[in-house]
Amino acid sequence: MSPHVPLVPSPCLQAPTGSFLYAKIKYMEFLSKSVEETAKIASNFAKATLDKADFANTATVVGLYGELGSGKTTFMKYLAESFGIKETIQSPTFVIEKIYELENLSVQISKHFQHLIHIDAYRIEKEEEIINLGWNEITSDPKNLICIEWPEQIFGIMPEHIRINFEHSDKESERKIKIAP
């Protein structure tokens, strides 16, 4: 990881206000210069979500924002890997939703989450399409960690969530990643 890229929140990067629900998730900015650095950022984020899960009464929802090829699915792959998921992670563009069981992995993870739910809303034309997939049920379960690529497609029904923005950088292999509660 580049020495100038912090992996822990810096006081100058902390958001001035934040919601109680995501109070333990701080505003952070990273410049990832490699897939390995993105993996480290995802791993640290996974640890932070476990802290948040202690007082949640609804699902933990993460919106993954960014253009095509900006790193959303790569981040998701390493987030899942951080939770011990061995399956190949691909964006569920055509199936819309993929649910990964977490309860049989480690005690630390299953104490907080039972499911990692990966949604790709890119092809969603109407919010009712997501609602028909059981949206209200999955977002109300505090044992769910829900990560949504293209959340702007369902903006009207997105609950309070953590925002992760991915941007292309000047170099092909670099990505700017911003995490905000």
Side-chain angles (χ1 to χ4, degrees):
M1 175 130 299
S2 303
H4 66 281
V5 180
L7 284 179
V8 293
S10 160
C12 64
L13 294 177
Q14 186 171 342
T17 60
S19 85
F20 174 72
L21 181 62
Y22 297 112
K24 292 188 179 191
I25 303 291
K26 306 288 190 229
Y27 179 81
M28 294 176 277
E29 289 186 25
F30 305 95
L31 177 61
S32 174
K33 295 186 176 194
S34 67
V35 172
E36 294 80 18
E37 287 186 6
T38 299
K40 183 72 172 165
I41 294 165
S43 175
N44 286 344
F45 179 76
K47 292 172 190 162
T49 62
L50 292 178
D51 289 340
K52 177 265 168 196
D54 287 336
F55 56 88
N57 59 7
T58 60
T60 299
V61 180
V62 180
L64 304 173
Y65 295 84
E67 298 174 356
L68 283 170
S70 62
K72 298 180 298 293
T73 304
T74 299
F75 182 89
M76 192 61 211
K77 172 185 173 183
Y78 290 109
L79 180 66
E81 187 178 284
S82 296
F83 284 120
I85 295 171
K86 304 289 185 217
E87 295 177 53
T88 300
I89 305 299
Q90 297 176 336
S91 186
T93 303
F94 296 102
V95 295
I96 309 298
E97 176 184 85
K98 177 75 174 149
I99 300 174
Y100 302 95
E101 297 292 327
L102 299 176
E103 58 192 336
N104 295 324
L105 299 175
S106 82
V107 173
Q108 181 187 14
I109 294 167
S110 62
K111 178 175 112 178
H112 302 290
F113 297 118
Q114 291 178 349
H115 304 102
L116 173 61
I117 302 172
H118 185 191
I119 297 173
D120 186 331
Y122 183 75
R123 294 174 14 127
I124 298 298
E125 294 179 9
K126 296 180 182 175
E127 293 168 349
E128 293 78 33
E129 295 173 56
I130 289 287
I131 292 171
N132 291 337
L133 291 175
W135 178 253
N136 294 329
E137 292 79 15
I138 66 170
T139 57
S140 65
D141 186 345
K143 291 290 189 175
N144 290 336
L145 172 58
I146 305 168
C147 297
I148 306 165
E149 294 187 43
W150 303 99
E152 53 272 45
Q153 294 292 99
I154 58 169
F155 183 77
I157 60 169
M158 279 294 288
E160 182 177 6
H161 63 284
I162 300 166
R163 294 180 59 99
I164 303 181
N165 294 305
F166 298 85
E167 297 176 25
H168 294 279
S169 186
D170 294 337
K171 295 181 182 175
E172 180 64 30
S173 63
E174 292 182 352
R175 298 292 187 268
K176 295 175 186 175
I177 302 172
K178 298 175 185 174
I179 301 174

